[in-house]
Coordinates of all heavy atoms in Angstrom, one line a residue:
E5 N 20.7 -8.2 -19.7 CA 21.3 -8.2 -18.2 C 20.7 -6.9 -17.7 O 20.7 -5.8 -18.3 CB 22.7 -8.3 -18.2 CG 23.2 -8.2 -16.8 CD 24.6 -9.0 -16.7 OE1 24.8 -9.8 -17.5 OE2 25.3 -8.5 -15.8
V6 N 20.3 -7.0 -16.4 CA 19.8 -5.8 -15.6 C 20.9 -5.1 -15.0 O 21.6 -5.8 -14.2 CB 18.6 -6.2 -14.7 CG1 18.2 -5.0 -13.9 CG2 17.5 -6.9 -15.4
D7 N 21.0 -3.9 -15.1 CA 22.0 -3.1 -14.4 C 21.5 -2.6 -13.1 O 20.6 -1.7 -13.1 CB 22.4 -1.8 -15.3 CG 23.5 -1.0 -14.8 OD1 24.3 -1.5 -13.9 OD2 23.6 0.1 -15.1
K8 N 21.9 -3.2 -12.0 CA 21.5 -2.8 -10.7 C 22.6 -2.7 -9.6 O 23.6 -3.5 -9.7 CB 20.5 -4.0 -10.2 CG 21.1 -5.3 -10.2 CD 20.0 -6.3 -9.8 CE 20.6 -7.8 -9.8 NZ 21.5 -8.0 -8.7
P9 N 22.4 -2.0 -8.6 CA 23.4 -1.9 -7.6 C 23.3 -3.1 -6.7 O 22.2 -3.7 -6.7 CB 23.1 -0.6 -6.8 CG 21.7 -0.4 -7.1 CD 21.4 -1.0 -8.5
Q10 N 24.4 -3.5 -5.9 CA 24.3 -4.6 -4.9 C 24.1 -4.1 -3.5 O 24.8 -3.1 -3.2 CB 25.6 -5.4 -5.1 CG 25.6 -6.7 -4.5 CD 24.5 -7.6 -5.1 OE1 23.4 -7.8 -4.5 NE2 24.7 -8.3 -6.2
A11 N 23.1 -4.6 -2.8 CA 22.9 -4.3 -1.4 C 23.4 -5.4 -0.4 O 23.5 -6.5 -0.8 CB 21.4 -4.1 -1.3
A12 N 23.7 -5.0 0.8 CA 24.2 -5.9 1.8 C 23.2 -6.9 2.1 O 23.4 -8.0 2.4 CB 24.7 -5.1 3.0
S13 N 21.9 -6.6 2.0 CA 20.8 -7.5 2.4 C 20.3 -8.4 1.2 O 19.4 -9.1 1.4 CB 19.7 -6.7 3.0 OG 19.2 -5.8 2.0
A14 N 21.0 -8.4 0.1 CA 20.6 -9.1 -1.1 C 20.5 -10.6 -0.8 O 19.6 -11.2 -1.3 CB 21.5 -8.8 -2.2
A15 N 21.4 -11.1 -0.1 CA 21.4 -12.5 0.2 C 20.1 -13.0 0.9 O 19.5 -14.0 0.8 CB 22.6 -13.0 0.9
R16 N 19.7 -12.1 1.9 CA 18.6 -12.4 2.7 C 17.3 -12.4 1.9 O 16.3 -13.1 2.0 CB 18.5 -11.4 4.0 CG 17.4 -11.9 4.9 CD 17.4 -10.9 6.1 NE 16.8 -9.6 5.7 CZ 17.2 -8.4 6.0 NH1 18.2 -8.3 6.8 NH2 16.7 -7.4 5.6
L17 N 17.2 -11.5 0.9 CA 16.1 -11.3 0.1 C 15.9 -12.5 -0.8 O 14.8 -12.9 -1.1 CB 16.3 -10.1 -0.8 CG 16.0 -8.7 -0.1 CD1 16.2 -7.6 -1.1 CD2 14.7 -8.6 0.4
D18 N 17.0 -13.1 -1.3 CA 17.0 -14.3 -2.1 C 16.2 -15.4 -1.5 O 15.4 -16.2 -2.1 CB 18.3 -14.8 -2.4 CG 19.0 -13.9 -3.5 OD1 18.4 -13.1 -4.1 OD2 20.3 -14.1 -3.6
K19 N 16.3 -15.6 -0.1 CA 15.6 -16.7 0.6 C 14.2 -16.5 1.0 O 13.4 -17.4 1.2 CB 16.5 -17.1 1.8 CG 17.9 -17.6 1.4 CD 18.7 -18.0 2.6 CE 20.1 -18.4 2.2 NZ 20.9 -18.6 3.2
N20 N 13.8 -15.1 1.1 CA 12.6 -14.7 1.7 C 11.7 -14.1 0.7 O 10.7 -13.5 1.1 CB 12.7 -13.8 2.9 CG 13.5 -14.5 4.0 OD1 13.2 -15.6 4.3 ND2 14.3 -13.7 4.7
S21 N 12.0 -14.2 -0.6 CA 11.2 -13.5 -1.6 C 11.5 -14.2 -3.0 O 12.3 -15.0 -3.2 CB 11.5 -12.1 -1.7 OG 12.9 -11.9 -2.0
I22 N 10.6 -13.9 -3.9 CA 10.8 -14.3 -5.2 C 11.3 -13.2 -6.2 O 10.6 -12.1 -6.2 CB 9.4 -14.9 -5.8 CG1 8.9 -15.9 -4.9 CG2 9.6 -15.4 -7.2 CD1 7.5 -16.3 -5.1
I23 N 12.4 -13.3 -6.7 CA 13.0 -12.2 -7.5 C 13.1 -12.5 -9.0 O 13.6 -13.5 -9.4 CB 14.4 -11.9 -7.0 CG1 14.4 -11.6 -5.5 CG2 15.0 -10.8 -7.7 CD1 15.8 -11.4 -4.9
F24 N 12.4 -11.6 -9.7 CA 12.5 -11.7 -11.2 C 13.2 -10.5 -11.7 O 13.1 -9.4 -11.2 CB 11.1 -11.6 -11.8 CG 10.1 -12.8 -11.5 CD1 9.3 -12.8 -10.5 CD2 10.3 -13.9 -12.3 CE1 8.4 -13.9 -10.2 CE2 9.4 -15.0 -12.1 CZ 8.6 -15.0 -11.1
A25 N 14.0 -10.7 -12.8 CA 14.7 -9.6 -13.5 C 14.0 -9.4 -14.8 O 13.6 -10.4 -15.5 CB 16.1 -10.0 -13.7
L26 N 13.7 -8.2 -15.1 CA 13.1 -7.8 -16.4 C 14.2 -7.0 -17.2 O 14.6 -5.9 -16.7 CB 11.8 -7.0 -16.3 CG 10.5 -7.7 -15.8 CD1 10.7 -8.4 -14.4 CD2 9.4 -6.7 -15.9
T27 N 14.4 -7.5 -18.3 CA 15.5 -6.8 -19.2 C 15.0 -5.9 -20.2 O 13.8 -6.0 -20.5 CB 16.3 -7.9 -19.9 OG1 15.5 -8.5 -20.9 CG2 16.9 -9.0 -19.0
A28 N 15.9 -5.1 -20.7 CA 15.5 -4.1 -21.8 C 15.0 -4.7 -23.0 O 14.3 -4.2 -23.8 CB 16.7 -3.2 -22.1
Q29 N 15.5 -6.1 -23.2 CA 15.1 -6.8 -24.4 C 13.7 -7.6 -24.2 O 13.3 -8.3 -25.1 CB 16.1 -7.9 -24.7 CG 17.5 -7.3 -25.1 CD 18.3 -6.8 -24.0 OE1 18.2 -7.3 -22.9 NE2 19.1 -5.7 -24.2
G30 N 13.1 -7.3 -23.1 CA 11.7 -7.9 -22.8 C 11.8 -9.3 -22.2 O 10.8 -10.0 -22.3
Q31 N 12.9 -9.8 -21.7 CA 13.0 -11.0 -21.1 C 12.6 -11.0 -19.6 O 12.9 -10.0 -19.0 CB 14.5 -11.6 -21.1 CG 15.0 -11.8 -22.5 CD 16.4 -12.2 -22.5 OE1 17.3 -11.5 -21.9 NE2 16.8 -13.2 -23.2
V32 N 12.0 -12.0 -19.2 CA 11.7 -12.2 -17.7 C 12.5 -13.4 -17.3 O 12.4 -14.5 -17.7 CB 10.2 -12.5 -17.6 CG1 9.8 -12.6 -16.1 CG2 9.3 -11.4 -18.1
V33 N 13.4 -13.0 -16.2 CA 14.3 -14.1 -15.8 C 14.2 -14.3 -14.3 O 13.9 -13.5 -13.6 CB 15.8 -13.5 -16.1 CG1 16.8 -14.5 -15.6 CG2 16.0 -13.1 -17.5
Y34 N 14.2 -15.6 -14.0 CA 14.1 -16.1 -12.6 C 15.3 -17.1 -12.5 O 15.4 -18.1 -13.3 CB 12.8 -16.8 -12.3 CG 12.8 -17.3 -10.9 CD1 12.6 -16.6 -9.7 CD2 13.0 -18.7 -10.7 CE1 12.6 -17.1 -8.5 CE2 13.0 -19.3 -9.5 CZ 12.8 -18.5 -8.4 OH 12.8 -19.1 -7.2
G35 N 16.1 -16.9 -11.5 CA 17.1 -17.8 -11.2 C 18.2 -18.1 -12.3 O 18.7 -19.2 -12.5
G36 N 18.4 -17.0 -13.1 CA 19.3 -17.1 -14.2 C 18.7 -17.7 -15.5 O 19.4 -17.8 -16.5
K37 N 17.5 -18.1 -15.4 CA 16.8 -18.7 -16.6 C 15.6 -17.8 -17.0 O 14.8 -17.3 -16.3 CB 16.2 -20.1 -16.3 CG 17.4 -21.1 -16.0 CD 16.8 -22.4 -15.6 CE 17.9 -23.3 -15.1 NZ 17.5 -24.6 -14.6
E38 N 15.4 -17.7 -18.4 CA 14.3 -17.0 -18.9 C 13.0 -17.8 -18.7 O 13.0 -19.0 -19.1 CB 14.5 -16.6 -20.4 CG 13.4 -15.7 -21.0 CD 13.7 -15.3 -22.3 OE1 14.7 -15.7 -23.0 OE2 12.7 -14.6 -22.9
V39 N 12.0 -17.2 -18.1 CA 10.7 -17.9 -17.9 C 9.6 -17.3 -18.6 O 8.5 -17.9 -18.9 CB 10.4 -17.9 -16.3 CG1 11.4 -18.8 -15.6 CG2 10.2 -16.6 -15.8
G40 N 9.8 -16.0 -19.2 CA 8.8 -15.3 -19.9 C 7.6 -14.9 -19.0 O 7.5 -15.3 -17.9
V41 N 6.7 -14.1 -19.5 CA 5.5 -13.7 -18.8 C 4.7 -14.8 -18.4 O 4.2 -15.0 -17.3 CB 4.7 -12.7 -19.6 CG1 3.4 -12.3 -18.9 CG2 5.6 -11.4 -19.9
G42 N 4.6 -15.9 -19.3 CA 3.7 -16.9 -19.1 C 4.2 -17.9 -18.0 O 3.4 -18.7 -17.4
G43 N 5.5 -17.8 -17.6 CA 6.1 -18.6 -16.5 C 5.9 -18.0 -15.2 O 6.1 -18.7 -14.1
V44 N 5.6 -16.7 -15.1 CA 5.5 -16.1 -13.8 C 4.4 -16.6 -12.9 O 4.7 -17.0 -11.7 CB 5.3 -14.5 -14.0 CG1 5.0 -13.8 -12.6 CG2 6.5 -13.9 -14.7
R45 N 3.2 -16.8 -13.3 CA 2.0 -17.1 -12.5 C 2.2 -18.6 -12.0 O 2.1 -18.8 -10.7 CB 0.7 -17.1 -13.2 CG -0.4 -17.3 -12.2 CD -1.7 -17.5 -12.9 NE -2.0 -16.5 -13.9 CZ -3.1 -16.3 -14.6 NH1 -4.2 -17.1 -14.2 NH2 -3.3 -15.4 -15.5
P46 N 2.6 -19.6 -12.8 CA 2.8 -20.9 -12.2 C 4.0 -21.0 -11.3 O 3.9 -21.6 -10.3 CB 3.0 -21.8 -13.5 CG 3.1 -20.9 -14.6 CD 2.6 -19.5 -14.2
L47 N 4.9 -20.2 -11.6 CA 6.1 -20.3 -10.7 C 5.8 -19.6 -9.3 O 6.2 -20.2 -8.3 CB 7.3 -19.6 -11.3 CG 8.6 -19.5 -10.6 CD1 9.2 -20.9 -10.4 CD2 9.7 -18.6 -11.4
V48 N 5.2 -18.6 -9.3 CA 4.7 -17.8 -8.1 C 3.8 -18.8 -7.3 O 3.9 -18.9 -6.1 CB 4.2 -16.4 -8.4 CG1 3.6 -15.8 -7.0 CG2 5.2 -15.5 -8.9
S49 N 2.8 -19.3 -8.0 CA 1.8 -20.2 -7.4 C 2.5 -21.4 -6.6 O 2.2 -21.7 -5.5 CB 0.8 -20.7 -8.4 OG 0.0 -19.8 -8.8
R50 N 3.5 -22.0 -7.3 CA 4.2 -23.1 -6.8 C 5.0 -22.7 -5.6 O 5.0 -23.4 -4.5 CB 5.1 -23.8 -7.8 CG 5.9 -25.0 -7.3 CD 6.5 -25.8 -8.5 NE 7.4 -24.9 -9.2 CZ 8.6 -24.5 -8.9 NH1 9.2 -25.0 -7.8 NH2 9.3 -23.8 -9.8
L51 N 5.7 -21.6 -5.6 CA 6.6 -21.2 -4.5 C 5.8 -20.6 -3.4 O 6.3 -20.5 -2.2 CB 7.6 -20.1 -5.1 CG 8.6 -20.7 -6.1 CD1 9.4 -19.5 -6.6 CD2 9.5 -21.7 -5.4
C52 N 4.6 -20.2 -3.6 CA 3.7 -19.6 -2.5 C 2.8 -20.7 -1.9 O 1.9 -20.3 -1.1 CB 3.0 -18.4 -3.1 SG 4.0 -17.0 -3.3
E53 N 2.9 -21.9 -2.3 CA 1.9 -23.0 -1.8 C 1.9 -23.0 -0.2 O 0.9 -23.0 0.4 CB 2.3 -24.3 -2.4 CG 1.7 -24.4 -3.7 CD 2.1 -25.9 -4.4 OE1 2.8 -26.6 -3.7 OE2 1.6 -26.2 -5.4
R54 N 3.2 -23.1 0.3 CA 3.3 -23.2 1.7 C 3.1 -21.9 2.5 O 2.3 -21.8 3.4 CB 4.7 -23.8 2.1 CG 4.8 -24.1 3.5 CD 6.1 -24.9 3.8 NE 5.9 -26.3 3.2 CZ 6.9 -27.0 2.9 NH1 8.2 -26.7 3.2 NH2 6.7 -28.3 2.5
D55 N 3.9 -20.9 2.1 CA 3.8 -19.6 2.7 C 3.8 -18.5 1.6 O 4.6 -18.6 0.7 CB 4.9 -19.3 3.6 CG 4.9 -20.1 4.8 OD1 3.8 -20.3 5.5 OD2 5.9 -20.7 5.3
P56 N 2.9 -17.6 1.6 CA 2.9 -16.5 0.6 C 4.2 -15.7 0.8 O 4.7 -15.3 1.9 CB 1.7 -15.6 1.0 CG 0.8 -16.5 1.8 CD 1.7 -17.4 2.5
L57 N 4.9 -15.5 -0.4 CA 6.2 -14.7 -0.4 C 5.9 -13.5 -1.2 O 5.2 -13.4 -2.1 CB 7.3 -15.6 -1.1 CG 7.7 -16.8 -0.4 CD1 8.6 -17.7 -1.2 CD2 8.3 -16.5 1.0
P58 N 6.7 -12.4 -0.9 CA 6.6 -11.2 -1.7 C 7.5 -11.4 -3.0 O 8.4 -12.3 -3.1 CB 7.3 -10.2 -0.8 CG 8.3 -10.9 0.1 CD 7.6 -12.2 0.3
V59 N 7.1 -10.7 -4.0 CA 7.8 -10.8 -5.3 C 8.4 -9.4 -5.5 O 7.9 -8.4 -5.3 CB 6.8 -11.0 -6.5 CG1 7.5 -10.8 -7.8 CG2 6.2 -12.4 -6.4
I60 N 9.8 -9.5 -5.9 CA 10.6 -8.4 -6.1 C 10.9 -8.4 -7.6 O 11.3 -9.4 -8.1 CB 11.8 -8.4 -5.3 CG1 11.4 -8.3 -3.8 CG2 12.7 -7.2 -5.6 CD1 12.6 -8.5 -2.9
L61 N 10.7 -7.2 -8.3 CA 11.1 -7.1 -9.7 C 12.3 -6.2 -9.8 O 12.4 -5.1 -9.3 CB 10.0 -6.5 -10.4 CG 8.6 -7.2 -10.4 CD1 7.6 -6.5 -11.2 CD2 8.7 -8.6 -10.9
Q62 N 13.3 -6.7 -10.5 CA 14.5 -5.9 -10.7 C 14.3 -5.5 -12.2 O 14.5 -6.4 -13.1 CB 15.8 -6.7 -10.5 CG 16.0 -7.1 -9.1 CD 17.2 -8.0 -8.9 OE1 17.6 -8.7 -9.9 NE2 17.8 -8.0 -7.8
V63 N 14.0 -4.3 -12.5 CA 13.6 -3.8 -13.9 C 14.7 -2.9 -14.4 O 15.0 -1.8 -13.8 CB 12.3 -3.2 -13.7 CG1 11.8 -2.8 -15.1 CG2 11.2 -4.0 -13.0
D64 N 15.2 -3.2 -15.5 CA 16.0 -2.3 -16.3 C 15.3 -1.1 -16.7 O 14.1 -1.1 -17.0 CB 16.5 -3.1 -17.6 CG 17.7 -2.3 -18.3 OD1 17.3 -1.4 -19.0 OD2 18.9 -2.7 -18.0
K65 N 16.0 0.0 -16.6 CA 15.4 1.3 -17.0 C 14.8 1.4 -18.3 O 13.9 2.2 -18.6 CB 16.3 2.4 -16.7 CG 17.5 2.5 -17.6 CD 18.4 3.7 -17.3 CE 19.5 3.7 -18.2 NZ 20.5 4.8 -17.8
N66 N 15.2 0.5 -19.3 CA 14.7 0.5 -20.6 C 13.7 -0.6 -20.9 O 13.3 -0.8 -22.0 CB 15.9 0.4 -21.6 CG 16.8 1.5 -21.5 OD1 16.3 2.7 -21.5 ND2 18.1 1.3 -21.4
T67 N 13.2 -1.3 -19.8 CA 12.2 -2.2 -20.0 C 10.8 -1.6 -20.4 O 10.5 -0.7 -19.8 CB 12.0 -3.0 -18.7 OG1 13.3 -3.7 -18.4 CG2 10.9 -4.1 -18.8
P68 N 10.2 -2.2 -21.4 CA 8.8 -1.6 -21.7 C 7.9 -1.6 -20.5 O 7.8 -2.6 -19.8 CB 8.3 -2.5 -22.8 CG 9.6 -3.2 -23.4 CD 10.5 -3.3 -22.2
S69 N 7.3 -0.5 -20.2 CA 6.3 -0.4 -19.0 C 5.2 -1.5 -19.1 O 4.8 -2.0 -18.1 CB 5.9 0.9 -18.8 OG 5.1 1.3 -20.0
G70 N 4.7 -1.8 -20.3 CA 3.7 -2.8 -20.4 C 4.1 -4.1 -19.9 O 3.3 -4.8 -19.4
L71 N 5.3 -4.4 -20.2 CA 5.9 -5.8 -19.7 C 5.9 -5.8 -18.1 O 5.5 -6.8 -17.5 CB 7.3 -6.1 -20.2 CG 8.0 -7.3 -19.7 CD1 7.2 -8.5 -20.1 CD2 9.5 -7.4 -20.1
T72 N 6.3 -4.7 -17.6 CA 6.4 -4.6 -16.1 C 4.9 -4.9 -15.5 O 4.8 -5.6 -14.6 CB 6.9 -3.3 -15.6 OG1 8.3 -3.2 -16.2 CG2 7.0 -3.2 -14.1
I73 N 4.0 -4.2 -16.1 CA 2.6 -4.3 -15.6 C 2.1 -5.7 -15.7 O 1.5 -6.3 -14.8 CB 1.7 -3.3 -16.3 CG1 2.1 -1.8 -15.9 CG2 0.2 -3.5 -16.0 CD1 1.6 -0.8 -16.7
R74 N 2.4 -6.4 -16.9 CA 1.9 -7.7 -17.1 C 2.6 -8.7 -16.1 O 1.9 -9.6 -15.5 CB 2.3 -8.2 -18.6 CG 1.4 -7.4 -19.6 CD 1.8 -7.8 -21.0 NE 1.9 -9.2 -21.3 CZ 2.7 -9.7 -22.2 NH1 3.4 -8.9 -23.0 NH2 2.7 -11.0 -22.4
V75 N 3.8 -8.5 -15.7 CA 4.5 -9.4 -14.7 C 3.9 -9.1 -13.4 O 3.7 -10.1 -12.6 CB 6.0 -9.1 -14.8 CG1 6.7 -9.9 -13.6 CG2 6.6 -9.6 -16.1
I76 N 3.6 -7.9 -13.1 CA 3.0 -7.6 -11.7 C 1.6 -8.3 -11.7 O 1.3 -8.9 -10.6 CB 2.8 -6.0 -11.5 CG1 4.2 -5.4 -11.3 CG2 1.9 -5.8 -10.4 CD1 4.1 -3.9 -11.4
D77 N 0.8 -8.2 -12.7 CA -0.5 -8.8 -12.8 C -0.3 -10.4 -12.6 O -1.1 -11.0 -11.8 CB -1.2 -8.5 -14.0 CG -1.7 -7.0 -14.1 OD1 -1.7 -6.3 -13.0 OD2 -2.1 -6.6 -15.2
E78 N 0.6 -11.0 -13.4 CA 0.7 -12.4 -13.2 C 1.2 -12.8 -11.8 O 0.7 -13.9 -11.3 CB 1.7 -12.9 -14.3 CG 1.2 -12.8 -15.7 CD 0.0 -13.7 -15.9 OE1 0.0 -14.9 -15.5 OE2 -1.0 -13.3 -16.5
A79 N 2.0 -12.1 -11.3 CA 2.5 -12.4 -9.9 C 1.4 -12.3 -8.8 O 1.2 -13.2 -8.0 CB 3.6 -11.5 -9.4
K80 N 0.5 -11.3 -9.0 CA -0.7 -11.2 -8.1 C -1.6 -12.3 -8.3 O -2.2 -12.9 -7.4 CB -1.3 -9.8 -8.3 CG -0.6 -8.6 -7.8 CD -1.3 -7.4 -8.1 CE -0.6 -6.2 -7.5 NZ -1.3 -4.9 -7.8
L81 N -1.9 -12.7 -9.5 CA -2.8 -13.8 -9.8 C -2.2 -15.1 -9.3 O -2.9 -16.1 -9.1 CB -3.0 -13.9 -11.4 CG -3.9 -12.8 -11.9 CD1 -3.9 -12.9 -13.5 CD2 -5.3 -12.9 -11.4
G82 N -0.9 -15.2 -9.1 CA -0.2 -16.4 -8.6 C -0.2 -16.4 -7.1 O 0.4 -17.2 -6.5
K83 N -0.9 -15.4 -6.5 CA -1.1 -15.3 -5.0 C 0.2 -14.9 -4.3 O 0.5 -15.3 -3.1 CB -1.6 -16.7 -4.4 CG -2.8 -17.2 -5.1 CD -3.9 -16.3 -4.8 CE -5.2 -17.1 -5.3 NZ -6.2 -16.2 -6.0
A84 N 1.0 -14.0 -4.9 CA 2.1 -13.4 -4.3 C 1.6 -12.6 -3.0 O 0.6 -12.0 -3.1 CB 2.9 -12.5 -5.1
K85 N 2.3 -12.5 -1.9 CA 2.1 -11.8 -0.8 C 1.9 -10.3 -1.1 O 1.0 -9.7 -0.7 CB 3.1 -12.0 0.4 CG 2.8 -11.3 1.6 CD 4.0 -11.6 2.6 CE 3.8 -11.0 3.9 NZ 4.9 -11.3 4.8
N86 N 2.8 -9.7 -1.8 CA 2.8 -8.5 -2.4 C 3.9 -8.3 -3.5 O 4.8 -9.2 -3.6 CB 3.0 -7.3 -1.3 CG 4.2 -7.5 -0.4 OD1 5.2 -8.1 -1.0 ND2 4.1 -7.2 0.8
V87 N 3.8 -7.3 -4.4 CA 4.7 -7.1 -5.5 C 5.3 -5.8 -5.3 O 4.6 -4.8 -5.2 CB 4.1 -7.3 -6.8 CG1 5.0 -7.3 -7.9 CG2 3.3 -8.6 -6.9

């Protein structure tokens, strides 16, 4: 589980962006389900078919940096508006 503060605009972000959580255990989670690094690109591609959306990463402070970089790369390859 990612330890993060809650913002007042969080509900608006859910509808206008793609949010992934990266855990300290190396899990990549979208919508409460683990998708792994391999699931990022196809998911972003599918969700960005109509309109490019930004991708937001909620990263636990103990997440390996290499995992974060791999997820950023996969989101960009999936045609995310920005990451």
Side-chain angles (χ1 to χ4, degrees):
E5 184 154 328
V6 176
D7 183 19
K8 60 183 175 71
Q10 197 56 262
S13 61
R16 192 179 71 221
L17 287 176
D18 287 344
K19 296 178 183 174
N20 298 324
S21 59
I22 304 166
I23 301 174
F24 290 99
L26 281 63
T27 70
Q29 294 77 30
Q31 296 173 309
V32 180
V33 180
Y34 173 78
K37 297 178 183 173
E38 184 175 359
V39 296
V41 174
V44 172
R45 188 188 318 185
L47 183 63
V48 171
S49 292
R50 183 171 51 82
L51 295 174
C52 289
E53 280 179 352
R54 186 170 289 162
D55 290 317
L57 296 170
V59 170
I60 297 172
L61 302 180
Q62 296 175 333
V63 184
D64 187 277
K65 65 181 179 181
N66 295 315
T67 299
S69 59
L71 175 64
T72 304
I73 292 167
R74 288 173 52 206
V75 171
I76 290 170
D77 289 345
E78 289 296 314
K80 288 179 178 178
L81 290 170
K83 307 296 186 216
K85 181 177 179 180
N86 51 33
V87 183

